[in-house]
């Protein structure tokens, strides 16, 4: 239905939003889904969001704060769609860029911290490994609003972070300090 709407109005906010949102939820998307996802997300970010979130479109019962949050949520959906498409194409540098954009809008998003860390580690660049580990540590250690569920954090910690940290550093010495820093700070201030 959304694709049909776009044939009538290629800038229809609702159709673009749902294509971006649903495509990013599609497991193992084909090239056609990725193409639609990227086009919808780019159209959202390159003007459709700006045109939709104007004062004249704000419902009377919606507060200015809620309207601003709705806009932020739409931006997150668009960046997530681009990150999802990039990941499916194994373009981890682009995925990293999009996940960073999401964290700039929502710094306490544990899932995005995990995905950003994974995208960085997938690039296999020695100079970026510590930063990738930091974001994985953030997804494990942060337990406030926006955090991953406790069982997911525990599973990532034991099955992924500890092993990856040990591979990079030769031991898990310093991992607890990294987790403590990551819990308190959404971005690394320095990484060794």
């Amino acid at each position: 239905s959304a694709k049909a709407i776009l044939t009538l109005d290629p800038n229809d906010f609702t159709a673009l939003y749902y294509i971006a949102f649903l495509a990013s939820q599609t497991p193992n998307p084909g090239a056609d889904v990725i193409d639609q996802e990227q086009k919808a997300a780019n159209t959202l970010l390159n003007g459709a969001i700006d045109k939709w979130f104007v004062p004249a479109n704000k419902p009377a019962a919606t507060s200015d704060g809620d309207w601003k949050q709705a806009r932020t949520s739409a931006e997150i959906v668009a960046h997530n769609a681009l990150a999802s498409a990039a990941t499916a194409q194994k373009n981890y540098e682009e995925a990293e860029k999009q996940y960073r954009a999401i964290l700039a809008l929502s710094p306490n998003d544990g899932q995005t911290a995990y995905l950003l860390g994974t995208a960085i580690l997938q690039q296999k660049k020695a100079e970026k490994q510590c930063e990738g580990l930091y974001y994985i540590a953030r997804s494990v250690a942060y337990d406030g609003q926006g955090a991953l569920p406790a069982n997911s954090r525990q599973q990532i910690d034991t099955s992924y972070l500890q092993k990856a940290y040990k591979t990079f550093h030769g031991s898990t010495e310093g991992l607890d300090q990294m987790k403590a820093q990551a819990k308190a700070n959404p971005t690394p201030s320095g990484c060794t």
Side-chain angles (χ1 to χ4, degrees), residues 72-89:
T72 299
S73 294
E75 290 178 50
I76 289 170
V77 164
H79 286 295
N80 191 58
L82 292 173
S84 171
T87 300
Q89 296 171 320

Side-chain angles (χ1 to χ4, degrees), residues 11-183:
N11 293 308
D12 183 88
F13 172 79
T14 304
L16 293 165
Y17 177 90
Y18 279 104
I19 287 173
F21 176 76
L22 294 172
S24 69
Q25 307 300 313
T26 303
N28 305 313
D32 59 328
V33 172
I34 291 171
D35 183 56
Q36 292 169 27
E37 179 178 26
Q38 290 172 318
K39 285 179 182 174
N42 281 316
T43 303
L44 284 168
L45 292 171
N46 294 319
I49 288 174
D50 290 334
K51 290 177 184 171
W52 180 257
F53 287 96
V54 294
N57 287 344
K58 182 174 79 76
T62 302
S63 72
D64 289 343
D66 288 345
W67 190 239
K68 183 179 178 183
Q69 181 56 45
R71 179 194 170 101
T72 299
S73 294
E75 290 178 50
I76 289 170
V77 164
H79 286 295
N80 191 58
L82 292 173
S84 171
T87 300
Q89 296 171 320
K90 298 186 184 337
N91 182 350
Y92 299 114
E93 289 179 358
E94 179 63 22
E96 174 188 351
K97 174 184 165 187
Q98 298 303 325
Y99 289 132
R100 286 184 189 280
I102 295 169
L103 285 180
L105 296 166
S106 181
N108 294 328
D109 184 329
Q111 177 72 19
T112 300
Y114 173 75
L115 294 170
L116 173 56
T118 301
I120 291 170
L121 293 176
Q122 286 294 327
Q123 294 172 44
K124 300 186 186 329
K125 295 180 179 177
E127 70 276 10
K128 294 177 86 172
Q129 294 297 296
C130 184
E131 184 183 19
L133 290 170
Y134 183 91
Y135 284 107
I136 301 292
R138 171 74 175 169
S139 75
V140 165
Y142 178 72
D143 59 1
Q145 184 175 2
L148 289 169
N151 60 338
S152 295
R153 293 193 319 267
Q154 179 62 38
Q155 183 178 9
I156 293 167
D157 188 12
T158 57
S159 67
Y160 187 50
L161 178 59
Q162 291 177 27
K163 292 175 185 175
Y165 188 93
K166 186 174 183 178
T167 298
F168 183 71
H169 287 286
S171 75
T172 57
E173 184 178 341
L175 178 57
D176 288 338
Q177 291 84 352
M178 178 183 268
K179 285 193 243 181
Q181 182 185 6
K183 181 176 182 174

